Amino acid sequence: ADRARVPARARASSRSLDMYARPIVERYREAAQLVGIFDINSVRANYVSHQCGGVPVFGDFDAMMRQAQPDCAIVTTVDRYHHEYIIRALEAGCDAITEKPMTIDDEKCRAILAAEKRTGRKVTVTFNYRFSPYVARVKELLREGIIGQVLSVDFEWILDTCHGADYFRRWHRRMENSGGLLVHKATHHFDLINWWIEDEPQSVYAFGQRRFYGPTRPERGER
């Protein structure tokens, strides 16, 4: 990013605070400035504001865009609403930075791409998993050519009953909120492979079955 001060907006979630708002205020204030925080939950918004030195709080997104006039909006809402705030930000004359996934289905994806083309503004999708130390180290080793040319990749990721159970308890357990695990969770893994080998697939297919979780599991509780 250039060194111009780039005002940004963050919804008052824990991720917006820890990964965006607080770092902007504490580490990157020479390059960026928070000018507004939006959340329909004023308690959450005021908490983030307090943690970041009293950033103005708004209960209306469009009012914030008019009054704060940011150059960029950071979207950290529940996945199903990403497209709504991305498009509204673009139409307000802002660029948009959004948490992965960009959105949850092809219809919303096409709407975002159309808005980006229509407004001439830019959407950036962030993948926080790229910043895990071992993930970044894998990238460095591959770029150094330590194993030569990559001809095949076999990548497996198992969700256990510790971290994995989270995806069947919270808001992202519902398809209408997250698009399902292949969108909400596996987005990380598709991105990692593309990023590591600096390439993109020509075709993709998938199949699945609920064996570990779901009504067929004998250890399943009443809820």
Side-chain angles (χ1 to χ4, degrees):
D2 60 42
R3 290 194 169 273
R5 296 176 69 83
V6 183
R9 166 264 174 187
R11 179 180 178 269
S13 63
S14 60
R15 178 157 293 186
S16 75
L17 174 61
D18 295 329
M19 292 192 173
Y20 297 95
R22 185 177 283 129
I24 287 172
V25 171
E26 295 179 354
R27 298 174 56 188
Y28 302 108
R29 58 181 177 271
E30 295 303 319
Q33 178 186 9
L34 281 176
V35 296
I37 298 169
F38 161 72
D39 199 311
I40 59 174
N41 185 326
S42 61
V43 174
R44 291 161 63 95
N46 283 304
Y47 177 79
V48 174
S49 175
H50 177 72
Q51 294 293 312
C52 297
V55 180
V57 168
F58 296 85
D60 180 275
F61 179 78
D62 296 317
M64 179 182 68
M65 301 302 283
R66 289 192 304 269
Q67 296 177 38
Q69 298 185 339
D71 298 317
C72 182
I74 301 174
V75 180
T76 60
T77 64
V78 171
D79 297 354
R80 67 183 294 177
Y81 299 118
H82 281 187
H83 72 292
E84 176 183 339
Y85 291 105
I86 291 171
I87 292 173
R88 286 163 70 180
L90 297 177
E91 292 179 340
C94 291
D95 291 333
I97 296 173
T98 181
E99 278 284 301
K100 67 84 202 162
M102 183 173 74
T103 188
I104 64 171
D105 59 44
D106 61 339
E107 180 182 357
K108 295 179 179 61
C109 182
R110 294 176 191 278
I112 290 171
L113 296 178
E116 189 178 39
K117 182 177 181 179
R118 181 174 67 252
T119 62
R121 308 305 301 186
K122 179 181 178 182
V123 178
T124 300
V125 183
T126 62
F127 290 89
N128 59 293
Y129 203 36
R130 289 190 184 188
F131 296 90
S132 296
Y134 80 92
V135 167
R137 184 57 179 151
V138 169
K139 174 69 171 181
E140 292 172 355
L141 292 172
L142 291 175
R143 273 192 166 175
E144 292 168 5
I146 196 168
I147 64 170
Q149 183 181 1
V150 177
L151 302 178
S152 177
V153 178
D154 183 1
F155 188 106
E156 295 185 5
W157 194 275
I158 307 300
L159 290 178
D160 56 22
T161 55
C162 181
H163 177 62
D166 176 70
Y167 294 96
F168 294 87
R169 293 192 187 110
R170 299 178 63 235
W171 59 266
H172 38 40
R173 74 187 185 276
R174 296 188 177 278
M175 288 286 290
E176 64 267 27
N177 288 334
S178 67
L181 279 179
L182 281 176
V183 175
H184 181 80
K185 180 63 175 174
T187 298
H188 281 303
H189 311 138
F190 298 137
D191 175 67
L192 285 183
I193 299 303
N194 294 345
W195 184 55
W196 279 340
I197 66 175
E198 299 181 1
D199 203 353
E200 295 183 359
Q202 294 182 359
S203 62
V204 177
Y205 72 93
F207 60 90
Q209 191 173 24
R210 286 198 302 174
R211 294 182 177 179
F212 199 76
Y213 289 96
T216 60
R217 185 168 183 249
E219 298 85 359
R220 185 171 183 264
E222 293 182 3
R223 297 182 65 185

